[in-house]
Amino acid sequence: MTPKVAIVILNWNGRQDTLDCLASLELLAYPVDIIIVDNGSTDNSAMTIRQRYAHHLVIETGENLGFAEGNNVGIREALHRGADYVLILNNDTVADPDLIEQLLNTQRSCPQVGIVGATIFLFDDRDTLDHLGGLWDSRTATFRMVGSREKQRPEQIQELDYVCGAAFFVSKQVFDAVGYFDPRFFLIWEEADFCFRARLHGFKVLSAPTALIWHKVSSSFVGGKPHSTYFWWRNRLLWMERNCSFSERMRLLGRVLLPEIAHLVKIRLLKTLQLFFVKIFRPDQDCERKQRNLKQNRAALRGIMDYVLRRFGNAPTWVWKDRVDF
């Protein structure tokens, strides 16, 4: 029997990107069921998408549930409709017409395969890889990105610790075994957590060299924004709590995390003092860059504090704002 495939696309104020993505999916050679989840947009995305693509289902959440829970809404609907596989696809991507067949080919390559990632190129530099996913580095408590900004297209299937959530192909059996994304992450690290849970249940996580997409790479994360810094730090600690042994966490706390946090505190104090004196003695100097750097630092420390205080979900409002005068 032909497996039933559903594609879940999460949209949050990305109307044109989503329309471009849907236009590319119209050229897919494999039949799919497409579900668009509008995550509380304020740019009339849902109405426009319904007008252009009335044959697709649009679900409106009414609020920004984050990447994790927003996609969970679509995944549940896809499984309810009988999907054997769900492709979670970023709305700022454009797909190759053979994407689904190539993902299925890799999925069938081994009976233990549960999650397959696409080969992701940059939209604006179409021969350069974005990245495929990551391998956990316990020396630094971070993931080593595989294929990041490389020019050479991979030739073989690779087994990774996690694959990039921009194109995340998952079998129904994985959802049955491990559930869904943990909504506490909201944004960043959720796909790594999901992959590790799947691997604990015996599923392999592979990257498909012939399944191609092109990723615009959200401007929200280019150059490091305060909200991405906040989520990266908070969710890094949550990820370690969920996926590292107690002894590994204690080792990383002493050797990696405490020195990094101490450095953040030191920078915060020094930069705050520096900015204070600049404003007094050089009031004509443009301090915007210094303020932005200080806001990045503040976001990191707030993410750490919120983890300690068990405050998950969305970030504080100020983290999302462009203003730097605080």
Side-chain angles (χ1 to χ4, degrees):
M1 294 180 63
T2 302
K4 184 173 181 180
V5 175
I7 299 178
V8 173
I9 300 172
L10 186 66
N11 175 79
W12 182 63
N13 292 324
R15 177 176 54 194
Q16 190 56 53
D17 282 341
T18 301
L19 293 173
D20 294 343
C21 180
L22 291 171
S24 75
L25 298 181
E26 292 291 297
L27 304 177
L28 288 177
Y30 194 97
V32 294
D33 187 12
I34 296 178
I35 300 167
I36 301 103
V37 179
D38 186 73
N39 216 13
S41 295
T42 57
D43 63 350
N44 293 320
S45 288
M47 181 180 69
T48 305
I49 293 167
R50 283 195 179 100
Q51 289 173 346
R52 301 271 188 94
Y53 295 96
H55 52 295
H56 298 327
L57 175 66
V58 178
I59 301 173
E60 296 184 65
T61 64
E63 61 178 312
N64 184 3
L65 302 178
F67 182 90
E69 187 58 24
N71 275 305
N72 286 345
V73 170
I75 294 165
R76 293 187 188 100
E77 179 62 27
L79 297 178
H80 175 72
R81 290 169 163 237
D84 301 302
Y85 296 95
V86 179
L87 172 61
I88 299 156
L89 186 66
N90 270 24
N91 73 314
D92 59 349
T93 61
V94 172
D96 182 81
D98 293 328
L99 175 67
I100 304 301
E101 288 96 333
Q102 299 305 325
L103 289 169
L104 284 169
N105 287 341
T106 301
Q107 188 82 42
R108 295 169 180 139
S109 65
C110 172
Q112 286 79 38
V113 179
I115 301 172
V116 178
T119 295
I120 306 170
F121 292 94
L122 297 176
F123 184 83
D124 293 327
D125 188 358
R126 296 178 75 84
D127 295 323
T128 300
L129 291 172
D130 181 357
H131 77 281
L132 306 179
L135 297 169
W136 175 246
D137 186 345
S138 61
R139 298 168 301 172
T140 61
T142 58
F143 281 94
R144 178 174 64 83
M145 296 295 99
V146 175
S148 180
R149 301 310 189 263
E150 291 183 2
K151 289 288 186 180
Q152 186 174 359
R153 173 175 160 178
E155 297 180 356
Q156 297 180 335
I157 293 172
Q158 300 182 62
E159 184 170 0
L160 302 175
D161 288 338
Y162 88 93
V163 291
C164 177
F168 200 74
F169 193 65
V170 188
S171 71
K172 178 181 180 296
Q173 287 74 20
V174 175
F175 293 118
D176 290 341
V178 307
Y180 305 98
F181 291 121
D182 186 334
R184 291 181 298 174
F185 285 97
F186 195 85
L187 184 68
I188 306 178
W189 291 83
E190 65 287 298
E191 75 264 48
D193 174 73
F194 187 87
C195 286
F196 266 66
R197 284 188 281 140
R199 291 169 69 240
L200 282 176
H201 283 78
F203 295 102
K204 290 183 179 292
V205 178
L206 304 181
S207 177
T210 54
L212 312 180
I213 68 166
W214 288 265
H215 187 201
K216 296 177 183 177
V217 184
S218 172
S219 60
S220 296
F221 297 100
V222 174
K225 300 288 185 175
H227 70 267
S228 63
T229 301
Y230 169 88
F231 286 119
W232 190 87
W233 264 101
R234 190 195 70 184
N235 294 347
R236 178 194 190 192
L237 297 172
L238 177 60
W239 187 92
M240 291 171 58
E241 173 189 315
R242 289 172 55 82
N243 295 286
C244 295
S245 66
F246 178 79
S247 60
E248 185 178 11
R249 294 203 307 273
M250 291 300 99
R251 178 180 61 81
L252 291 174
L253 180 65
R255 293 186 180 181
V256 179
L257 297 177
L258 287 179
E260 288 184 1
I261 294 169
H263 179 71
L264 287 171
V265 173
K266 176 183 175 181
I267 293 298
R268 175 70 186 278
L269 294 173
L270 290 176
K271 294 297 183 182
T272 300
L273 192 62
Q274 181 189 49
L275 189 60
F276 173 77
F277 284 114
V278 167
K279 287 184 175 181
I280 291 177
F281 297 107
R282 297 287 302 275
D284 58 325
Q285 184 172 329
D286 185 1
C287 297
E288 183 172 343
R289 185 176 62 83
K290 290 183 174 62
Q291 289 177 311
R292 289 192 181 279
N293 290 339
L294 192 55
K295 187 173 181 179
Q296 284 278 92
N297 177 272
R298 181 189 178 197
L301 290 171
R302 178 60 184 266
I304 295 166
M305 182 178 70
D306 282 356
Y307 166 77
V308 172
L309 297 176
R310 316 307 289 172
R311 293 197 293 238
F312 298 110
N314 204 348
T317 304
W318 64 264
V319 170
W320 293 97
K321 294 180 178 178
D322 290 332
R323 273 180 28 204
V324 295
D325 53 330
F326 59 91

